[in-house]
Amino acid sequence: MRPPSPVWHPFTQHAVQGEIPTIVRNEGAWLETADGRRIFDAISSWWVVTHGHRHPQIMQAIKTQADLLDQIIFAGFTHPPAEELAQQLVAMTPPELKHVFFSDSGSTSVEVGLKMALGFWLHSGEDRRHILALEGAYHGDTIGGMSVGERGVFNAPYEPLLFDVSRLPFPHRGREQETLQALEKACNEQAIAALIIEPLILGAGGMLIYEPRVLSEMARICQSHGVLLIADEVMTGWGRTGTLFACEQAGVVPDIGCYSKGLTGGSVPLAVTLCRGEIFDAHYSQDRRKTFFHSSSYTANPIACAAALANLKIWQHEPVMQRISDLAAVHAKALDRFRDDRRFCNIRQIGTIAALDLAVTDAGYLADIGPRLYGHFMARGLLVRPLGNTIYLMPPYCSTADEINAVYRAIADIA
Ligand SMILES: *Cc1c(COP(=O)(O)O)cnc(C)c1O
């Protein structure tokens, strides 16, 4: 039987999905349903919300901007919020990143990054087209993003549309050398254009964490072979891993960086792809064929840019880093209690992200355990959306210790 609503939801199998709650209001770390229930947003509404829902300064910036400008064409025109945001982003990231290309989602920021890399090589007159990626990676659901992401049930139907990439084994603890050797080998054997990575943690791939020194080594190998490094910081950016950007922990400056989710504090969609001067310069020419041919209709939406500027102000004027380290400490303390609990394994944390696996034989994303756990948490007013048997928390930075500990109590209650 078809559901009563015409809405087709993302990553939702409507034939097995239970009732879908209607959210009418949110504030801080909480969602409110139409029938008056309150739900704690332990995954920041799919990793986008950083300071909390409806931060007053971001909401005010959106209102103020809406009185001046809505969308305007961004080819051949510019506007103050985009100019100011680009200036500030360049100032707060490493000096090598000199140019800012706007788009409207994490996936498109990745597409833009891949196109920049390919354009760079073509316009530099070198035949390098091959892309390297990590096993288990997730880079979005557009065709390019899926191509560089792990193949599996999520993209099997679209396989004919996806381009080939070479994969490096994930740098599991103790087996990091295999990844580095595979990278070295690939760089020696093929004309590699770029390596795309999620720095320090694979998100949708299962919250798998690897060491900063592996990232530094990967960057060093890329550099020694002239291979561009694309850092997809769509999830890791904006403090998630304990530093503003994950690459900082490895002392790595990517050639191309993709940022979205927390860019507007999670309020409205916006993304940016930053790149080194050389990449812009390769496109800078009297020859119009070297134009960077990419746009989306809503490129650099002024209201979204104003929201992002308000987000940057919050980072400057509020103790965001302190909140992040407090939150990390709450995770660390709570996770400790699960170390001797045989029901769980692979207990791990990086900054504000904590994860543990339920020790079951039936693992994997499609395992029944996922929806069962989801129901377990929802019944307790907690939004937790396990990836198969991986339970993770990625709460907004305004969450209190009591709120976080309530989620850990619910985890301990899993029968
Ligand atoms: C979420 C995510 C994306 C895709 O972003 P969307 O805004 O959903 O298109 C890309 N890369 C990573 C690492 C992500 O976590």
Side-chain angles (χ1 to χ4, degrees):
M1 208 187 62
R2 283 176 204 287
S5 164
V7 175
W8 194 344
H9 288 268
F11 272 64
T12 299
Q13 177 43 269
H14 282 275
V16 298
Q17 172 76 39
E19 186 231 328
I20 294 183
T22 301
I23 304 299
V24 291
R25 196 171 173 281
N26 58 21
E27 184 165 11
W30 292 85
L31 314 177
E32 264 177 57
T33 66
D35 54 7
R37 276 180 297 148
R38 276 162 52 83
I39 300 170
F40 177 66
D41 190 355
I43 59 163
S44 299
S45 282
W46 249 349
W47 322 344
V48 298
V49 177
T50 46
H51 314 295
H53 288 281
R54 287 195 310 110
H55 188 290
Q57 270 161 263
I58 297 177
M59 295 300 106
Q60 189 53 53
I62 290 172
K63 288 175 193 164
T64 306
Q65 189 59 47
D67 280 340
L68 292 172
L69 268 181
D70 60 357
Q71 181 64 30
I72 59 148
I73 179 172
F74 205 58
F77 289 87
T78 195
H79 54 74
E83 291 295 331
E84 201 180 323
L85 179 57
Q87 296 276 359
Q88 290 197 25
L89 289 171
V90 165
M92 69 197 292
T93 49
E96 292 88 342
L97 298 174
K98 288 188 164 33
H99 297 274
V100 179
F101 193 93
F102 287 95
S103 62
D104 36 35
S105 73
S107 303
T108 48
S109 75
V110 167
E111 300 285 342
V112 165
L114 293 169
K115 285 172 74 170
M116 280 180 176
L118 273 278
F120 170 79
W121 288 116
L122 182 70
H123 304 324
S124 304
E126 212 174 308
D127 186 20
R128 293 197 190 216
R129 305 163 183 220
H130 211 72
I131 305 286
L132 287 176
L134 274 183
E135 268 173 11
Y138 178 78
H139 295 291
D141 283 334
T142 48
I143 300 297
M146 284 192 291
S147 295
V148 291
E150 179 68 36
R151 305 298 168 84
V153 65
F154 307 105
N155 42 44
Y158 327 115
E159 187 72 40
L161 301 180
L162 306 185
F163 57 79
D164 277 339
V165 302
S166 298
R167 294 207 192 265
L168 309 175
F170 177 79
H172 289 285
R173 185 179 288 275
R175 286 171 33 205
E176 292 89 347
Q177 276 310 316
E178 291 173 32
T179 307
L180 300 175
Q181 279 161 8
L183 173 57
E184 189 80 57
K185 186 161 179 279
C187 291
N188 282 324
E189 288 176 357
Q190 286 172 301
I192 306 292
L195 165 66
I196 182 165
I197 47 107
E198 294 162 271
L200 304 190
I201 174 167
L202 268 56
M207 300 298 159
L208 300 178
I209 299 168
Y210 62 94
E211 296 283 321
R213 67 184 170 82
V214 182
L215 178 54
S216 333
E217 274 301 291
M218 288 196 289
R220 188 192 57 75
I221 295 169
C222 283
Q223 200 181 11
S224 72
H225 291 273
V227 169
L228 298 177
L229 180 67
I230 306 176
D232 176 354
E233 292 247 21
V234 170
M235 180 188 82
T236 51
W238 311 104
R240 274 297 163 201
T241 65
T243 44
L244 183 58
F245 301 112
C247 281
E248 292 169 27
Q249 294 179 45
V252 162
V253 180
D255 298 292
I256 295 170
C258 310
Y259 313 86
S260 183
K261 292 187 171 127
L263 173 57
T264 62
S267 58
V268 286
L270 185 69
V272 287
T273 308
L274 269 63
C275 71
R276 291 196 188 232
E278 294 89 324
I279 292 171
F280 178 86
D281 295 347
H283 293 80
Y284 189 81
S285 167
Q286 295 303 311
D287 181 351
R288 288 170 63 188
R289 282 172 304 182
K290 294 189 176 180
T291 304
F292 187 56
F293 291 111
H294 190 93
S295 172
S296 26
S297 306
Y298 286 100
T299 300
N301 177 271
I303 296 169
C305 289
L309 281 168
N311 169 49
L312 297 193
K313 259 210 192 111
I314 293 165
W315 273 92
Q316 283 154 15
H317 297 299
E318 292 187 22
V320 183
M321 270 305 169
Q322 186 59 49
R323 282 177 204 146
I324 286 171
S325 55
D326 291 349
L327 180 54
V330 173
H331 277 321
K333 197 163 161 224
L335 282 176
D336 241 6
R337 293 200 301 271
F338 290 90
R339 297 213 185 263
D340 301 321
D341 191 329
R342 304 261 303 273
R343 293 174 298 166
F344 301 97
C345 54
N346 303 328
I347 293 161
R348 54 203 187 271
Q349 181 196 355
I350 182 166
T352 70
I353 308 170
L356 68 180
D357 297 347
L358 195 60
V360 286
T361 44
D362 180 23
Y365 185 88
L366 288 189
D368 282 341
I369 189 74
R372 267 215 297 131
L373 289 171
Y374 183 79
H376 168 87
F377 291 110
M378 277 297 276
R380 287 159 177 77
L382 305 168
L383 169 54
V384 177
R385 209 171 187 281
L387 294 157
N389 66 326
T390 297
I391 302 166
Y392 72 88
L393 277 72
M394 201 189 298
Y397 308 155
C398 63
S399 309
T400 65
D402 284 349
E403 288 164 344
I404 305 292
N405 286 324
V407 184
Y408 283 105
R409 275 198 304 280
I411 295 174
D413 279 352
I414 293 169

PDB file of all heavy atoms in Angstrom, residues 164-184:
ATOM      1  N   ASP A 164      35.574   4.834 -13.474  1.00  0.00           N
ATOM      2  CA  ASP A 164      36.522   3.995 -12.736  1.00  0.00           C
ATOM      3  C   ASP A 164      37.466   4.829 -11.891  1.00  0.00           C
ATOM      4  O   ASP A 164      37.959   5.857 -12.349  1.00  0.00           O
ATOM      5  CB  ASP A 164      37.371   3.186 -13.723  1.00  0.00           C
ATOM      6  CG  ASP A 164      36.641   1.942 -14.170  1.00  0.00           C
ATOM      7  OD1 ASP A 164      35.709   1.527 -13.442  1.00  0.00           O
ATOM      8  OD2 ASP A 164      36.989   1.405 -15.236  1.00  0.00           O
ATOM      9  N   VAL A 165      37.711   4.375 -10.688  1.00  0.00           N
ATOM     10  CA  VAL A 165      38.763   4.981  -9.867  1.00  0.00           C
ATOM     11  C   VAL A 165      39.579   3.836  -9.279  1.00  0.00           C
ATOM     12  O   VAL A 165      39.097   2.709  -9.199  1.00  0.00           O
ATOM     13  CB  VAL A 165      38.196   5.859  -8.721  1.00  0.00           C
ATOM     14  CG1 VAL A 165      37.316   6.954  -9.262  1.00  0.00           C
ATOM     15  CG2 VAL A 165      37.456   5.036  -7.695  1.00  0.00           C
ATOM     16  N   SER A 166      40.806   4.112  -8.855  1.00  0.00           N
ATOM     17  CA  SER A 166      41.595   3.103  -8.158  1.00  0.00           C
ATOM     18  C   SER A 166      41.423   3.314  -6.669  1.00  0.00           C
ATOM     19  O   SER A 166      41.333   4.458  -6.212  1.00  0.00           O
ATOM     20  CB  SER A 166      43.071   3.222  -8.524  1.00  0.00           C
ATOM     21  OG  SER A 166      43.226   2.994  -9.895  1.00  0.00           O
ATOM     22  N   ARG A 167      41.384   2.207  -5.924  1.00  0.00           N
ATOM     23  CA  ARG A 167      41.128   2.317  -4.482  1.00  0.00           C
ATOM     24  C   ARG A 167      42.325   1.888  -3.660  1.00  0.00           C
ATOM     25  O   ARG A 167      42.960   0.873  -3.946  1.00  0.00           O
ATOM     26  CB  ARG A 167      39.957   1.436  -4.090  1.00  0.00           C
ATOM     27  CG  ARG A 167      38.747   1.960  -4.717  1.00  0.00           C
ATOM     28  CD  ARG A 167      37.474   1.689  -4.030  1.00  0.00           C
ATOM     29  NE  ARG A 167      36.500   2.061  -5.033  1.00  0.00           N
ATOM     30  CZ  ARG A 167      35.934   3.256  -5.086  1.00  0.00           C
ATOM     31  NH1 ARG A 167      36.168   4.133  -4.138  1.00  0.00           N
ATOM     32  NH2 ARG A 167      35.107   3.562  -6.056  1.00  0.00           N
ATOM     33  N   LEU A 168      42.570   2.669  -2.617  1.00  0.00           N
ATOM     34  CA  LEU A 168      43.601   2.311  -1.656  1.00  0.00           C
ATOM     35  C   LEU A 168      42.909   1.642  -0.482  1.00  0.00           C
ATOM     36  O   LEU A 168      41.827   2.070  -0.077  1.00  0.00           O
ATOM     37  CB  LEU A 168      44.307   3.568  -1.156  1.00  0.00           C
ATOM     38  CG  LEU A 168      44.828   4.520  -2.231  1.00  0.00           C
ATOM     39  CD1 LEU A 168      45.389   5.770  -1.575  1.00  0.00           C
ATOM     40  CD2 LEU A 168      45.889   3.812  -3.068  1.00  0.00           C
ATOM     41  N   PRO A 169      43.538   0.600   0.103  1.00  0.00           N
ATOM     42  CA  PRO A 169      42.926  -0.019   1.279  1.00  0.00           C
ATOM     43  C   PRO A 169      42.805   1.002   2.410  1.00  0.00           C
ATOM     44  O   PRO A 169      43.662   1.877   2.548  1.00  0.00           O
ATOM     45  CB  PRO A 169      43.891  -1.146   1.645  1.00  0.00           C
ATOM     46  CG  PRO A 169      45.164  -0.854   0.941  1.00  0.00           C
ATOM     47  CD  PRO A 169      44.824  -0.024  -0.264  1.00  0.00           C
ATOM     48  N   PHE A 170      41.746   0.893   3.195  1.00  0.00           N
ATOM     49  CA  PHE A 170      41.598   1.789   4.341  1.00  0.00           C
ATOM     50  C   PHE A 170      42.765   1.547   5.303  1.00  0.00           C
ATOM     51  O   PHE A 170      43.124   0.398   5.565  1.00  0.00           O
ATOM     52  CB  PHE A 170      40.264   1.530   5.055  1.00  0.00           C
ATOM     53  CG  PHE A 170      40.115   2.383   6.277  1.00  0.00           C
ATOM     54  CD1 PHE A 170      39.749   3.715   6.160  1.00  0.00           C
ATOM     55  CD2 PHE A 170      40.393   1.880   7.555  1.00  0.00           C
ATOM     56  CE1 PHE A 170      39.655   4.527   7.287  1.00  0.00           C
ATOM     57  CE2 PHE A 170      40.294   2.684   8.679  1.00  0.00           C
ATOM     58  CZ  PHE A 170      39.921   4.010   8.544  1.00  0.00           C
ATOM     59  N   PRO A 171      43.357   2.630   5.840  1.00  0.00           N
ATOM     60  CA  PRO A 171      44.518   2.455   6.742  1.00  0.00           C
ATOM     61  C   PRO A 171      44.122   1.972   8.145  1.00  0.00           C
ATOM     62  O   PRO A 171      44.130   2.735   9.100  1.00  0.00           O
ATOM     63  CB  PRO A 171      45.144   3.851   6.786  1.00  0.00           C
ATOM     64  CG  PRO A 171      44.049   4.803   6.432  1.00  0.00           C
ATOM     65  CD  PRO A 171      43.095   4.047   5.558  1.00  0.00           C
ATOM     66  N   HIS A 172      43.766   0.685   8.236  1.00  0.00           N
ATOM     67  CA  HIS A 172      43.423   0.114   9.538  1.00  0.00           C
ATOM     68  C   HIS A 172      44.635   0.178  10.453  1.00  0.00           C
ATOM     69  O   HIS A 172      45.776   0.087   9.985  1.00  0.00           O
ATOM     70  CB  HIS A 172      42.984  -1.348   9.373  1.00  0.00           C
ATOM     71  CG  HIS A 172      41.647  -1.492   8.720  1.00  0.00           C
ATOM     72  ND1 HIS A 172      40.471  -1.227   9.375  1.00  0.00           N
ATOM     73  CD2 HIS A 172      41.309  -1.851   7.452  1.00  0.00           C
ATOM     74  CE1 HIS A 172      39.455  -1.436   8.545  1.00  0.00           C
ATOM     75  NE2 HIS A 172      39.931  -1.803   7.377  1.00  0.00           N
ATOM     76  N   ARG A 173      44.356   0.325  11.734  1.00  0.00           N
ATOM     77  CA  ARG A 173      45.429   0.399  12.721  1.00  0.00           C
ATOM     78  C   ARG A 173      46.363  -0.806  12.587  1.00  0.00           C
ATOM     79  O   ARG A 173      45.895  -1.951  12.531  1.00  0.00           O
ATOM     80  CB  ARG A 173      44.819   0.430  14.124  1.00  0.00           C
ATOM     81  CG  ARG A 173      45.838   0.623  15.233  1.00  0.00           C
ATOM     82  CD  ARG A 173      45.142   0.675  16.575  1.00  0.00           C
ATOM     83  NE  ARG A 173      44.414   1.924  16.751  1.00  0.00           N
ATOM     84  CZ  ARG A 173      44.978   3.059  17.198  1.00  0.00           C
ATOM     85  NH1 ARG A 173      46.243   3.081  17.526  1.00  0.00           N
ATOM     86  NH2 ARG A 173      44.259   4.150  17.325  1.00  0.00           N
ATOM     87  N   GLY A 174      47.650  -0.522  12.482  1.00  0.00           N
ATOM     88  CA  GLY A 174      48.640  -1.594  12.357  1.00  0.00           C
ATOM     89  C   GLY A 174      48.893  -1.998  10.916  1.00  0.00           C
ATOM     90  O   GLY A 174      49.849  -2.705  10.620  1.00  0.00           O
ATOM     91  N   ARG A 175      48.007  -1.558  10.002  1.00  0.00           N
ATOM     92  CA  ARG A 175      48.185  -1.940   8.585  1.00  0.00           C
ATOM     93  C   ARG A 175      48.303  -0.705   7.695  1.00  0.00           C
ATOM     94  O   ARG A 175      48.021  -0.744   6.501  1.00  0.00           O
ATOM     95  CB  ARG A 175      47.024  -2.825   8.146  1.00  0.00           C
ATOM     96  CG  ARG A 175      47.151  -4.235   8.738  1.00  0.00           C
ATOM     97  CD  ARG A 175      45.933  -5.114   8.529  1.00  0.00           C
ATOM     98  NE  ARG A 175      45.232  -4.865   7.284  1.00  0.00           N
ATOM     99  CZ  ARG A 175      43.934  -5.142   7.114  1.00  0.00           C
ATOM    100  NH1 ARG A 175      43.217  -5.649   8.101  1.00  0.00           N
ATOM    101  NH2 ARG A 175      43.355  -4.901   5.957  1.00  0.00           N
ATOM    102  N   GLU A 176      48.748   0.401   8.320  1.00  0.00           N
ATOM    103  CA  GLU A 176      48.827   1.667   7.587  1.00  0.00           C
ATOM    104  C   GLU A 176      49.785   1.592   6.402  1.00  0.00           C
ATOM    105  O   GLU A 176      49.570   2.234   5.369  1.00  0.00           O
ATOM    106  CB  GLU A 176      49.268   2.796   8.530  1.00  0.00           C
ATOM    107  CG  GLU A 176      48.245   3.169   9.596  1.00  0.00           C
ATOM    108  CD  GLU A 176      48.371   2.378  10.892  1.00  0.00           C
ATOM    109  OE1 GLU A 176      49.097   1.354  10.919  1.00  0.00           O
ATOM    110  OE2 GLU A 176      47.734   2.787  11.885  1.00  0.00           O
ATOM    111  N   GLN A 177      50.858   0.781   6.574  1.00  0.00           N
ATOM    112  CA  GLN A 177      51.861   0.687   5.508  1.00  0.00           C
ATOM    113  C   GLN A 177      51.252   0.198   4.199  1.00  0.00           C
ATOM    114  O   GLN A 177      51.670   0.600   3.117  1.00  0.00           O
ATOM    115  CB  GLN A 177      53.014  -0.237   5.926  1.00  0.00           C
ATOM    116  CG  GLN A 177      54.084   0.457   6.769  1.00  0.00           C
ATOM    117  CD  GLN A 177      54.580   1.771   6.166  1.00  0.00           C
ATOM    118  OE1 GLN A 177      54.828   1.856   4.968  1.00  0.00           O
ATOM    119  NE2 GLN A 177      54.690   2.805   6.980  1.00  0.00           N
ATOM    120  N   GLU A 178      50.240  -0.686   4.313  1.00  0.00           N
ATOM    121  CA  GLU A 178      49.608  -1.219   3.091  1.00  0.00           C
ATOM    122  C   GLU A 178      48.985  -0.096   2.273  1.00  0.00           C
ATOM    123  O   GLU A 178      49.070  -0.081   1.038  1.00  0.00           O
ATOM    124  CB  GLU A 178      48.509  -2.238   3.463  1.00  0.00           C
ATOM    125  CG  GLU A 178      49.047  -3.516   4.059  1.00  0.00           C
ATOM    126  CD  GLU A 178      47.930  -4.437   4.563  1.00  0.00           C
ATOM    127  OE1 GLU A 178      46.822  -4.425   3.970  1.00  0.00           O
ATOM    128  OE2 GLU A 178      48.171  -5.146   5.563  1.00  0.00           O
ATOM    129  N   THR A 179      48.371   0.848   2.976  1.00  0.00           N
ATOM    130  CA  THR A 179      47.739   1.975   2.289  1.00  0.00           C
ATOM    131  C   THR A 179      48.797   2.838   1.616  1.00  0.00           C
ATOM    132  O   THR A 179      48.659   3.211   0.446  1.00  0.00           O
ATOM    133  CB  THR A 179      46.954   2.824   3.304  1.00  0.00           C
ATOM    134  OG1 THR A 179      46.064   1.978   4.016  1.00  0.00           O
ATOM    135  CG2 THR A 179      46.192   3.944   2.616  1.00  0.00           C
ATOM    136  N   LEU A 180      49.859   3.127   2.377  1.00  0.00           N
ATOM    137  CA  LEU A 180      50.887   4.020   1.857  1.00  0.00           C
ATOM    138  C   LEU A 180      51.621   3.381   0.679  1.00  0.00           C
ATOM    139  O   LEU A 180      51.922   4.041  -0.321  1.00  0.00           O
ATOM    140  CB  LEU A 180      51.864   4.401   2.974  1.00  0.00           C
ATOM    141  CG  LEU A 180      51.201   5.126   4.161  1.00  0.00           C
ATOM    142  CD1 LEU A 180      52.209   5.372   5.281  1.00  0.00           C
ATOM    143  CD2 LEU A 180      50.567   6.441   3.713  1.00  0.00           C
ATOM    144  N   GLN A 181      51.862   2.061   0.811  1.00  0.00           N
ATOM    145  CA  GLN A 181      52.539   1.372  -0.298  1.00  0.00           C
ATOM    146  C   GLN A 181      51.655   1.326  -1.534  1.00  0.00           C
ATOM    147  O   GLN A 181      52.133   1.497  -2.657  1.00  0.00           O
ATOM    148  CB  GLN A 181      52.935  -0.049   0.128  1.00  0.00           C
ATOM    149  CG  GLN A 181      54.218  -0.052   0.945  1.00  0.00           C
ATOM    150  CD  GLN A 181      54.414  -1.332   1.758  1.00  0.00           C
ATOM    151  OE1 GLN A 181      53.660  -2.292   1.604  1.00  0.00           O
ATOM    152  NE2 GLN A 181      55.410  -1.338   2.614  1.00  0.00           N
ATOM    153  N   ALA A 182      50.354   1.112  -1.325  1.00  0.00           N
ATOM    154  CA  ALA A 182      49.428   1.086  -2.465  1.00  0.00           C
ATOM    155  C   ALA A 182      49.384   2.454  -3.146  1.00  0.00           C
ATOM    156  O   ALA A 182      49.298   2.545  -4.379  1.00  0.00           O
ATOM    157  CB  ALA A 182      48.028   0.681  -1.995  1.00  0.00           C
ATOM    158  N   LEU A 183      49.460   3.505  -2.354  1.00  0.00           N
ATOM    159  CA  LEU A 183      49.460   4.860  -2.917  1.00  0.00           C
ATOM    160  C   LEU A 183      50.723   5.097  -3.738  1.00  0.00           C
ATOM    161  O   LEU A 183      50.670   5.566  -4.880  1.00  0.00           O
ATOM    162  CB  LEU A 183      49.336   5.890  -1.784  1.00  0.00           C
ATOM    163  CG  LEU A 183      49.474   7.361  -2.177  1.00  0.00           C
ATOM    164  CD1 LEU A 183      48.448   7.745  -3.235  1.00  0.00           C
ATOM    165  CD2 LEU A 183      49.313   8.262  -0.935  1.00  0.00           C
ATOM    166  N   GLU A 184      51.858   4.717  -3.155  1.00  0.00           N
ATOM    167  CA  GLU A 184      53.149   4.877  -3.837  1.00  0.00           C
ATOM    168  C   GLU A 184      53.135   4.116  -5.170  1.00  0.00           C
ATOM    169  O   GLU A 184      53.522   4.645  -6.215  1.00  0.00           O
ATOM    170  CB  GLU A 184      54.254   4.339  -2.902  1.00  0.00           C
ATOM    171  CG  GLU A 184      55.657   4.600  -3.343  1.00  0.00           C
ATOM    172  CD  GLU A 184      56.130   6.018  -3.034  1.00  0.00           C
ATOM    173  OE1 GLU A 184      56.103   6.416  -1.859  1.00  0.00           O
ATOM    174  OE2 GLU A 184      56.534   6.711  -3.995  1.00  0.00           O
TER     175      GLU A 184
END
